Amino acid sequence: MRKDNTAGAATNRRRAASGDPLGPNSEIGRKLKQYYDELVSDNVPDRFAQLLSQLEQAQPARKKD
């Protein structure tokens, strides 16, 4: 069992030495970026867009008061 832990540590060191700044966390970072990119590319629901529009219209009126 100890041999497996040493092999994993050696792999992590090789990744870090290869210029990967995140090392073993690079896979997590890649998955998070992929998830974020998917969320950003989704369309905003119509109802939410309408609420944002109403909020933008109400804000100038509040600033005048």
Side-chain angles (χ1 to χ4, degrees), residues 5-64:
N5 290 340
T6 329
T11 302
N12 291 341
R13 273 184 256 135
R14 271 186 256 126
R15 285 184 188 159
S18 68
D20 187 0
L22 297 177
N25 294 325
S26 62
E27 182 67 17
I28 296 169
R30 189 182 65 75
K31 294 266 185 186
L32 285 172
K33 182 172 180 356
Q34 179 183 5
Y35 180 69
Y36 174 78
D37 290 342
E38 289 173 8
L39 283 177
V40 170
S41 67
D42 284 348
N43 292 330
V44 175
D46 291 337
R47 178 67 180 141
F48 190 69
Q50 290 171 353
L51 290 172
L52 288 174
S53 177
Q54 290 174 2
L55 179 62
E56 288 174 354
Q57 291 171 2
Q59 284 180 342
R62 289 183 79 182
K63 288 182 181 177
K64 290 178 185 176

